[in-house]
């Protein structure tokens, strides 16, 4: 993944340009711009539109990457409490808190609205998959029984994103209940 | 709910008008109309726009009702196989089949895109809640252990809608697995 490399490479011109583009997207989304184009984003970021056309297939892909970048900066490491129940519970509440922020809700709706056909690449899901896999690996190493990564995605991640995209209320108690529910599937 | 009454009252002028409006919405959505207005829908349905302004608070509410009406006509009764596992498994595959139809995907995206603030009324969720409650009531009457209605919504309904709105693949095996997963929460 070229994008992941670019976002993790520290310092340098390329990472400054990328940061400017992400900031521009964030500002435009926050202002409620509903027709996002590469020239518009480039103008705001003060970069040449060619940079954008070269790096991303379309605006949707850039939008998603920006959301993932924002997430990565914010969260970083996944919880490591010593038990899978503690980790999943804390992780679920972090997701709930994160995706209910107005700017994130806007990103998610813009992302969903922009998708037409089935996607083969969904950065949000991929990022959550990596995080879940990491917590499950640690729990297994401790000798705990674990659900599958797919179950964690279906039963913790999906219900939270469902509620946010459908504009239904999400709270931390609900997030913790989802973590308990998926753990009941281990037996 | 005034709408539910209107849709279930058989025959008569009012139900003919309602059917014409639902058909008009369905056609416009299928044609990919992205700016749906009451005058546009009224013109297509051959009714007075006042009828629409009187009955629905906004276009979004009408869109949702149309989606629910389409669903009700299609499905009607929930599965009654004699076991909760059979019922939930069949119900999940019906939902998967229903919401992956292109016209339904468009409805769902339009609905999600139109929502800004938290909603207090979500016909799709309400309809699924009633269906889940009915299957759980029957299972309890047979003496089966049952998960809660909220668990069925979070762990069967939400993952399916999540995948459809995020344009991720959904299939019937996945739907059946969700039904098995939620049943594992009973213990």
């Amino acid at each position: 993944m070229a994008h992941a490399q670019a976002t993790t490479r520290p310092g340098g011109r390329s990472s400054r340009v990328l940061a400017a583009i992400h900031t521009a997207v964030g500002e435009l989304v926050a202002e409620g711009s509903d027709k996002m184009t590469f020239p518009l984003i480039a103008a705001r970021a003060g970069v040449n539109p060619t940079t954008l056309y070269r790096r991303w297939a379309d605006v949707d892909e850039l939008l998603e990457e920006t959301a993932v970048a924002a997430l990565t900066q914010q969260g970083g490491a996944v919880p490591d409490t010593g038990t899978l129940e503690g980790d999943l519970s804390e992780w679920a509440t972090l997701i709930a808190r994160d995706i209910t922020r107005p700017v994130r809700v806007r990103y998610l709706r813009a992302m969903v609205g922009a998708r037409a056909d089935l996607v083969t690449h969904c950065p949000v899901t991929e990022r959550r998959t990596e995080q879940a896999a990491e917590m499950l690996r640690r729990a297994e190493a401790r000798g705990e029984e674990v659900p599958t990564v797919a179950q964690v995605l279906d039963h913790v991640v999906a219900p939270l994103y469902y509620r946010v995209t459908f504009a239904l209320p999400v709270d931390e108690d609900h997030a913790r209940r989802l973590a308990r529910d998926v753990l009941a599937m281990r037996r």
Side-chain angles (χ1 to χ4, degrees), chain A residues 46-112:
Chain A
V47 304
N48 195 308
T50 325
T51 311
L52 282 74
Y53 287 107
R54 236 185 353 234
R55 198 191 283 263
W56 295 279
D58 51 40
V59 171
D60 185 31
E61 197 180 303
L62 170 54
L63 257 177
E64 295 208 4
E65 184 187 307
T66 309
V68 173
L71 182 70
T72 315
Q73 283 155 19
Q74 270 230 335
V78 291
D80 189 4
T81 63
T83 66
L84 183 56
E85 178 158 9
D87 286 0
L88 285 179
S89 185
E90 193 168 318
W91 184 63
T93 58
L94 285 172
I95 296 176
R97 225 177 286 153
D98 178 60
I99 66 180
T100 51
R101 290 182 300 134
V103 65
R104 178 57 48 91
V105 172
R106 282 215 181 93
Y107 275 135
L108 288 171
R109 298 250 171 82
M111 198 184 297
V112 166

Side-chain angles (χ1 to χ4, degrees), chain A residues 28 32-38 40-41 59:
Chain A
L28 290 166
S33 253
D34 47 76
K35 208 59 211 155
M36 298 273 256
T37 63
F38 280 157
L40 181 72
I41 298 163
V59 171

Side-chain angles (χ1 to χ4, degrees), chain A residues 139-154:
Chain A
E140 270 194 304
R142 283 190 301 261
E144 291 191 58
E145 293 275 322
V146 299
T148 65
V149 172
Q151 284 177 322
V152 173
L153 288 175
D154 278 329

